[in-house]
Amino acid sequence: MNPRSVLFVCLGNICRSPVAEGVFRHALSKRIGEQAALAWKIDSAGTSAYHAGKSPDPRSQASARLHGVDLSKQRSRAFEVADFNAFEHILVMDSANHVNVCALAKHPEEKDRVQLILEASFPGHNKPVPDPYYGGDQGFESVYQLLAQASEDWLDQWL
Ligand code: 4NP
């Protein structure tokens, strides 16, 4: 397994986890440099395949772009069982994602590697990243802020 690998997971892989992927890669590059960051395996996926093949939601792309993060090359895909072998850390957005990912685990050790992404920022609070899909633009900005802080907090732990 790649020792430097992280997968971000939400429901549709068009709103929250694409932002998580983009902002994490951006934060990592700032800390260790773009070249060194390329050695990390960073991806995102959805627990559903509803939006497979689609670009991130335009509202997610717009809010990330305001902060200098380009999500335009990312495409939605469904989480698959093989992801347990491919990624050391599996960071989910909410408890429903947690239940759905863990339901696919074949070994207890795999479930141990599935964590709520906001656990690094708010340990023990079971705090979700709210789904902004049915809301307004402000929801996307607040998702961005939560995920930018979470990236810094995970990197503090991992680097
Ligand atoms: P995401 O948001 O899980 O953050 O990508 C959603 C995207 C699409 C739907 C729900 C949530 N949907 O029901 O289509």
Side-chain angles (χ1 to χ4, degrees):
M1 184 186 299
N2 189 325
R4 294 295 192 196
S5 53
V6 54
L7 180 69
F8 299 97
V9 179
C10 62
L11 171 60
N13 191 212
I14 55 165
C15 292
R16 292 166 292 174
S17 59
V19 175
E21 176 188 341
V23 71
F24 181 83
R25 190 177 285 116
H26 186 74
L28 178 67
S29 295
K30 276 197 169 166
R31 290 219 192 179
I32 67 172
E34 254 175 64
Q35 208 55 38
L38 290 176
W40 283 56
K41 184 179 168 85
I42 303 165
D43 198 5
S44 62
T47 57
S48 77
Y50 302 153
H51 299 278
K54 287 198 199 147
S55 300
D57 188 288
R59 297 165 296 176
S60 284
Q61 292 199 52
S63 72
R65 201 179 308 116
L66 280 177
H67 298 280
V69 178
D70 177 21
L71 307 183
S72 65
K73 293 180 191 66
Q74 297 175 205
R75 296 292 179 270
S76 176
R77 72 167 177 92
F79 179 86
E80 51 191 34
V81 173
D83 288 322
F84 285 116
N85 291 325
F87 294 92
E88 180 184 12
H89 301 287
I90 298 173
L91 299 181
V92 300
M93 302 297 131
D94 62 34
S95 56
N97 308 150
H98 197 279
V99 167
N100 290 328
V101 169
C102 286
L104 297 173
K106 298 210 165 45
H107 308 284
E109 174 276 329
E110 294 173 340
K111 292 186 192 178
D112 292 343
R113 287 186 282 109
V114 183
Q115 291 179 276
L116 283 172
I117 192 167
L118 294 187
E119 194 57 22
S121 309
F122 307 96
H125 283 68
N126 285 325
K127 196 172 152 69
V129 177
D131 187 345
Y133 189 61
Y134 295 106
D137 290 347
Q138 185 49 42
F140 285 82
E141 176 59 21
S142 96
V143 163
Y144 182 91
Q145 295 297 339
L146 285 168
L147 294 174
Q149 185 60 50
S151 293
E152 299 299 337
D153 294 333
W154 285 109
L155 287 169
D156 285 347
Q157 290 190 27
W158 293 340
L159 293 181

